[in-house]
Amino acid sequence: MTDLPENLFVNPVWNALQTKHRRFAVSSGEACRYPADVAPFAAVATPSESALQSLHTILAPGEYVWLIGESYPSVPELSCIGNLECLQMVLPDEVTPPRPSPNIVPLSGVNAQEMVALTDIAFPGFFRSRTCEMGSYYGVRSDEELIAMGGERLTLDGYPEISGICTHPAHRGKGHAASLIWHLVRNHRREGLVSWLHVSAENHHAIELYLRMGFTVARMVKLHRICRNDSGGEQGNRDSLRT
């Protein structure tokens, strides 16, 4: 049986930016974040007023980021403009991946534009021009068009997150998402790593797929969309988090 240690996963963005993703960290006091062109995620060391005031200093006017945590105090510099409940799911060690698919190809920064275009169909605003730098990404092509993709997002010591799983609507139902996930899992197993992911609690189709593959629910976490107040910028209100 595999579990996700609470000391890492209650505040995974903070722990990633303090360790494996330190190179991305934009920090101020008790707050840190990914650059806006990498990912819309930030974190604070503790859910305190002083930490949130530190976060304000590293946000652009009107910019929003997502914070993971149960609750946060109110501060005049920031507003919460949305909440989302997500499951953290993990693949137990005893689950054996099936044989690999021959159709999966590696993706890199040169493919960033088409990766953003594909993910914007399913979860606009979450995959940015440099998100692919967070880990390894792979895709499936049809007539040279990228029709499915997936890769790694948050990286903790021994625990790479599977994310960005997306299939073009015209090519769904063919097993591409599962093939990409299994490809990532096989890579992780070779390196002695544990595969895990976030998924919206309302994304029942994805949850059913992950459960069929053998993933189990580790915990529920809450995401808060926090916006800097000194601008009317509400861009991104249409965005929803999907994994």
Side-chain angles (χ1 to χ4, degrees):
M1 191 70 178
T2 303
D3 198 3
L4 296 176
E6 187 169 353
N7 65 313
L8 290 179
F9 285 88
V10 168
N11 198 356
V13 174
W14 175 268
N15 288 313
L17 286 170
Q18 300 303 308
T19 57
K20 295 294 187 178
H21 278 173
R22 186 187 299 272
R23 68 188 183 278
F24 293 117
V26 178
S27 302
S28 175
E30 303 171 78
C32 60
R33 59 166 297 178
Y34 284 93
D37 57 354
V38 174
F41 293 105
V44 292
T46 59
S48 64
E49 291 185 11
S50 62
L52 291 174
Q53 287 162 350
S54 294
L55 176 63
H56 166 265
T57 67
I58 52 176
L59 298 182
E63 183 183 14
Y64 76 86
V65 289
W66 291 92
L67 293 181
I68 296 176
E70 186 58 34
S71 63
Y72 291 93
S74 296
V75 295
E77 296 90 347
L78 302 170
S79 292
C80 180
I81 58 174
N83 294 293
L84 189 63
E85 290 189 332
C86 284
L87 303 178
Q88 288 179 349
M89 302 184 72
V90 59
L91 190 67
D93 296 334
E94 59 266 25
V95 176
T96 302
R99 297 180 64 180
S101 167
N103 301 321
I104 293 174
V105 298
L107 301 173
S108 68
V110 299
N111 310 113
Q113 184 174 351
E114 57 183 337
M115 284 192 278
V116 171
L118 179 58
T119 55
D120 273 352
I121 297 173
F123 35 87
F126 277 91
F127 197 95
R128 308 288 175 86
S129 61
R130 293 177 57 215
T131 302
C132 58
E133 296 178 19
M134 297 176 76
S136 298
Y137 279 83
Y138 300 90
V140 177
R141 294 189 178 278
S142 176
D143 295 328
E144 299 187 1
E145 177 189 2
L146 184 65
I147 61 168
M149 60 166 282
E152 299 162 335
R153 190 169 59 181
L154 302 180
T155 301
L156 303 168
D157 188 18
Y159 297 89
E161 179 196 20
I162 292 176
S163 186
I165 303 298
C166 182
T167 303
H168 191 281
H171 297 273
R172 290 175 183 163
K174 301 176 182 178
H176 295 314
S179 293
L180 287 160
I181 293 169
W182 286 128
H183 184 82
L184 290 159
V185 168
R186 282 188 292 270
N187 289 351
H188 296 166
R189 293 285 176 84
R190 281 194 294 270
E191 298 177 25
L193 306 174
V194 176
S195 306
W196 68 286
L197 53 83
H198 280 113
V199 59
S200 166
E202 297 186 358
N203 191 353
H204 303 297
H205 178 75
I207 293 171
E208 289 173 4
L209 169 64
Y210 302 148
L211 290 173
R212 288 197 305 271
M213 296 178 71
F215 282 84
T216 61
V217 177
R219 65 178 54 82
M220 179 85 77
V221 295
K222 184 178 289 186
L223 279 74
H224 308 262
R225 188 162 64 175
I226 304 296
C227 181
R228 179 167 158 166
N229 277 336
D230 47 358
S231 171
E234 289 288 317
Q235 80 270 19
N237 274 346
R238 69 188 189 282
D239 296 354
S240 60
L241 184 59
R242 296 284 187 240
T243 301

